Amino acid sequence: MKNKTILLGLNELNFDYIKSYFEQGLLPNFKKIFEIQPPIETVSEKEYKLLEPWVQWVTIHSGKSYKEHNIFRLGDIVNSPELSQIFEELETEGLSVGAVSPFNAENRLKNPAFFVPDPWTNTNPSGNWIVKSLYQAVHQSVNDNANSKLNFKSILSLGFGLLLYVPISRWFHYLKTILNSKKPGAKAVLLDSLLADVHLSLWKKNKPDFSNLFLNSGAHIQHHYLFNSNVYDGNIKNPEWYCPKGYDPLIHILSEYDKQIEKLLKLKDVKIIIATGLHQQPHEQLTFYWRLKEHMKFAEKIGIENFSEILPRMSRDFLMKFKNENDAKKAEKLLNSFYASKDELKIFEVDNRGTSLFVELVYPNDIDESDSIYSKESNLKLEKFKSYLAFVAIKNGEHNGIGYVTSNFDLKQEERIELTSLKSIIKKVALSEN
């Protein structure tokens, strides 16, 4: 019999902070698994602009570096059908495969046990109608995160998901988290709790030979609340209105992950591999993140013409699609021409890929109600710029290309490996005999 193998993606976690929590007597299951397999460092890209999780996780899935796979945007995997992924490779080897929120991965499985895509990648979910509805609800909630609103259909789907895939023993956790939903990071904890519980429920029902669960809320909380962690020893503090002094959102998500690891460790004859892709280190200044509220209305307001679609991505990013390269070039030039009136800082960064633009709202400072932006291209001045925006967060953590991998068995690897080698390591484990 083949092993049952679970790849648990805990995106961007800083394992040094986890070890510091050990000293406080916290996170016993992380400690248990670290003692079985001391964390191995993974080495990825050297250019900072390539240290994005949607690049690193494609590297893990494909075994190829960025130079080889050339996937730079979240969701771009669907435009590279020739790039082979670990999921369909293992299925071809005769294994049953399941996945919940695999990052920047396309569902190419012929007979998946289950496949719930990440909220940003345009690929089909596999499963019953509740699973598909649940995916749509998560997609809506994540992509509308700046407005913090759920539509009625999403609320209904999430409710069904809780009833069908979450054990009664966990309902108090959800109720407590919902009642504290206004606390920093609480909604992120809720999302990953649901994804993890759905994965475990689907796994117990289908028992796939290989499955992948990817969780991103730890990365989100490190990005935005790391300065509040009691194991952070830097001097920068978040404003009291943003995250109260003495409240540590990071330990809340890590404690949830610790409980999920405990459940996985109880599964009989299952090999668990935990990977982070990269990790985060403290940011050295206060940087504000903003997100457009209504992307299409804003694009029309500033004079962008002939776009066919706008797709929100993570945090402050969005993708604009056009029917031809000429319209895309005009939009690129216009977006790149916008600056803040008060400090002359650039508003957008644009990556042109022919008929599509990947746009980042990069303005880093606080914005007052009366602040305006202007275009050096069209001479348009847009008053009350803040009215078009939703505040997302203050940047606390930034990417570091060193990631980690650990497991509930001896991986028999060196203390540091190339991230490109992780795919072959996982495949070897998944295909080995018990």
Side-chain angles (χ1 to χ4, degrees):
M1 291 181 62
K2 296 285 191 300
N3 286 309
K4 301 290 185 184
T5 306
I6 295 175
L7 171 61
L8 175 60
L10 298 181
N11 194 35
E12 302 178 17
L13 288 192
N14 187 315
F15 277 12
D16 287 337
Y17 288 152
I18 291 175
K19 291 175 183 177
S20 294
Y21 283 118
F22 291 171
E23 297 174 3
Q24 303 175 28
L26 303 172
L27 310 179
N29 297 292
F30 269 109
K31 185 176 182 180
K32 183 184 298 183
I33 208 166
F34 281 16
E35 288 173 346
I36 297 170
Q37 172 59 72
I40 298 165
E41 291 187 351
T42 59
V43 183
S44 56
E45 307 293 338
K46 294 181 180 178
E47 288 185 69
Y48 187 79
K49 71 175 184 178
L50 299 179
L51 298 181
E52 297 287 1
W54 44 86
V55 175
Q56 315 308 311
W57 282 91
V58 173
T59 293
I60 292 172
H61 300 155
S62 68
K64 298 181 183 298
S65 66
Y66 168 74
K67 186 177 181 180
E68 295 171 304
H69 65 62
N70 202 35
I71 302 295
F72 186 64
R73 299 175 182 168
L74 179 53
D76 258 9
I77 188 65
V78 300
N79 300 317
S80 299
E82 75 288 347
L83 186 64
S84 181
Q85 305 172 124
I86 190 172
F87 310 102
E88 61 265 24
E89 288 182 14
L90 288 175
E91 185 181 56
T92 300
E93 294 280 355
L95 273 63
S96 58
V97 178
V100 170
S101 199
F103 204 42
N104 210 2
E106 185 174 21
N107 184 4
R108 301 171 187 163
L109 297 173
K110 294 179 180 179
N111 187 29
F114 50 87
F115 196 104
V116 184
D118 75 52
W120 307 277
T121 302
N122 187 19
T123 189
N124 291 325
S126 297
N128 61 33
W129 69 273
I130 289 292
V131 170
K132 293 177 180 178
S133 297
L134 191 60
Y135 159 71
Q136 291 298 334
V138 171
H139 172 81
Q140 188 261 315
S141 65
V142 169
N143 285 290
D144 289 348
N145 71 339
N147 292 324
S148 300
K149 293 180 180 178
L150 287 173
N151 60 39
F152 178 74
K153 184 177 179 181
S154 293
I155 293 171
L156 195 62
S157 297
L158 289 170
F160 273 122
L162 283 169
L163 287 172
L164 294 177
Y165 294 111
V166 175
I168 295 175
S169 61
R170 290 273 289 165
W171 287 8
F172 178 74
H173 163 74
Y174 283 88
L175 178 61
K176 182 179 177 181
T177 308
I178 290 169
L179 292 175
N180 290 294
S181 62
K182 291 186 177 180
K183 288 189 175 181
K187 292 175 184 175
V189 173
L190 195 65
L191 174 61
D192 272 7
S193 297
L194 182 59
L195 290 175
D197 285 339
V198 167
H199 171 266
L200 188 59
S201 178
L202 291 172
W203 190 95
K204 288 181 175 179
K205 180 180 179 181
N206 297 278
K207 291 187 171 55
D209 299 309
F210 173 79
S211 73
N212 175 207
L213 169 63
F214 176 88
L215 301 175
N216 189 59
S217 292
H220 169 84
I221 287 172
Q222 286 178 151
H223 267 309
H224 303 319
Y225 304 109
L226 182 58
F227 299 153
N228 277 76
S229 170
N230 65 30
V231 298
Y232 162 70
D233 60 2
N235 298 318
I236 303 176
K237 303 298 180 186
N238 285 312
E240 187 72 15
W241 59 263
Y242 178 66
C243 190
K245 182 180 178 180
Y247 185 73
D248 180 0
L250 182 56
I251 191 57
H252 287 280
I253 188 62
L254 292 179
S255 296
E256 173 61 17
Y257 290 168
D258 194 75
K259 291 171 185 172
Q260 295 296 342
I261 290 171
E262 181 182 24
K263 294 178 189 176
L264 296 179
L265 288 173
K266 289 179 179 178
L267 298 176
K268 187 178 180 181
D269 298 326
V270 175
K271 293 197 171 181
I272 303 158
I273 300 173
I274 300 175
T276 70
L278 58 159
H279 84 273
Q280 289 182 35
Q281 61 191 27
H283 193 50
E284 296 183 354
Q285 63 194 62
L286 283 182
T287 299
F288 287 72
Y289 276 8
W290 303 95
R291 180 181 176 91
L292 292 175
K293 290 179 182 176
E294 298 180 84
H295 294 76
M296 293 183 68
K297 287 185 179 180
F298 179 82
E300 292 168 351
K301 183 72 174 180
I302 64 173
I304 296 178
E305 300 176 338
N306 301 326
F307 58 87
S308 58
E309 191 176 17
I310 300 181
L311 301 171
R313 293 306 193 208
M314 291 186 77
S315 185
R316 54 192 179 163
D317 312 330
F318 56 97
L319 182 70
M320 301 190 74
K321 294 185 178 181
F322 298 83
K323 292 182 178 178
N324 59 69
E325 293 185 5
N326 187 51
D327 287 336
K329 285 180 180 178
K330 288 180 180 178
E332 176 190 16
K333 189 175 183 180
L334 182 58
L335 286 164
N336 275 326
S337 74
F338 276 95
Y339 290 80
S341 301
K342 68 177 180 180
D343 53 23
E344 292 293 317
L345 293 180
K346 209 164 184 285
I347 304 300
F348 301 105
E349 289 287 350
V350 184
D351 173 32
N352 190 326
R353 291 289 183 90
T355 58
S356 67
L357 305 178
F358 186 78
V359 188
E360 297 176 85
L361 203 168
V362 295
Y363 185 76
N365 293 335
D366 199 2
I367 301 174
D368 295 328
E369 300 293 339
S370 59
D371 286 344
S372 63
I373 61 174
Y374 73 98
S375 167
K376 295 182 179 180
E377 170 72 16
S378 67
N379 294 319
L380 171 71
K381 185 176 183 181
L382 186 67
E383 302 285 357
K384 298 182 179 179
F385 179 47
K386 191 173 184 178
S387 66
Y388 297 91
L389 304 176
F391 170 73
V392 177
I394 296 174
K395 184 175 182 179
N396 283 204
E398 62 186 29
H399 293 144
N400 183 304
I402 299 297
Y404 307 100
V405 60
T406 184
S407 59
N408 66 340
F409 61 99
D410 185 357
L411 283 167
K412 296 183 172 61
Q413 299 294 320
E414 301 293 328
E415 293 180 358
R416 175 175 284 200
I417 62 174
E418 294 292 328
L419 190 65
T420 50
S421 69
L422 190 53
K423 174 191 170 186
S424 62
I425 294 169
I426 296 168
K427 283 187 67 176
K428 183 177 179 180
V429 172
L431 291 169
S432 64
E433 303 286 341
N434 278 326

